[in-house]
């Protein structure tokens, strides 16, 4: 994009995009009807705007109508549509700026699904929250979760991915 340099990571959501810059800040652009750009508004943007209040960001992920960031201190931040709890703040209130995901530290990677979110912790465990009608959170239920729950039976994981209503993890030996 014109005028946007120093990108270290990117993420594409349904109709919005995120760009992590080398200075640890995040820029967003695209559809913003659900506040998924994190700039304090619901105004869609054709050029990148800075996500409010985020610094020292190490990774980003974009869901259908929400966004996630993991900071270098291992905390997770979320913004946008929270109808199904995808922001992990124990509410279903949408947020136009980032809010911290409750009770989650030591995170190295985040992944956003359609209406759910995932986090991989440095100890190799996977945590999930949000929409769970089809069991995509891996906790053995079909109940939405408004805050993170540990995915059952997953240890020593190396990477994660969120899909429409599914989630995937790869362990350190390469097993999916």
């Amino acid at each position: 994009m014109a005028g946007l340099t120093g990108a270290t990571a990117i993420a594409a959501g349904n109709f919005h995009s995120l760009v992590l810059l080398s200075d640890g800040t995040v820029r967003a652009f695209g559809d913003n009807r659900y506040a998924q750009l994190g700039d304090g508004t619901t105004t869609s943007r054709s050029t990148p705007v800075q996500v409010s209040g985020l610094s020292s960001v190490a990774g980003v992920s974009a869901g259908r109508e929400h966004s996630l960031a993991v900071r270098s201190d291992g905390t997770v931040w979320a913004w946008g549509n929270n109808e199904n709890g995808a922001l992990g703040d124990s509410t279903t209130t949408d947020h136009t700026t980032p809010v911290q995901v409750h009770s989650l530290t030591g995170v190295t990677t985040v992944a956003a699904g359609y209406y759910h979110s995932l986090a991989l912790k440095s100890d190799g465990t996977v945590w999930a929250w949000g929409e769970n009608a089809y069991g995509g959170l891996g906790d053995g239920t079909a109940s939405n979760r408004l805050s993170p729950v540990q995915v059952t039976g997953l240890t020593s994981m190396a990477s994660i991915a969120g899909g429409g209503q599914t989630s995937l993890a790869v362990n350190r030996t390469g097993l999916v």
Side-chain angles (χ1 to χ4, degrees), residues 75-133:
T75 60
V76 178
W77 298 77
W79 59 97
N81 185 336
N82 199 25
E83 178 181 356
N84 297 296
L87 304 187
D89 69 339
S90 299
T91 76
T92 56
T93 303
D94 295 351
H95 291 280
T96 61
T97 58
V99 294
Q100 188 171 356
V101 175
H102 285 277
S103 305
L104 196 59
T105 59
V107 173
T108 60
T109 306
V110 289
Y114 207 59
Y115 290 120
H116 71 287
S117 303
L118 304 164
L120 175 62
K121 294 179 79 170
S122 57
D123 65 4
T125 60
V126 178
W127 296 74
W129 60 97
E131 193 273 330
N132 196 28

Side-chain angles (χ1 to χ4, degrees), residues 18 57 84-85:
L18 304 173
V57 175
N84 297 296

Side-chain angles (χ1 to χ4, degrees), residues 130-142:
E131 193 273 330
N132 196 28
Y134 300 97
L137 301 186
D139 67 347
T141 76

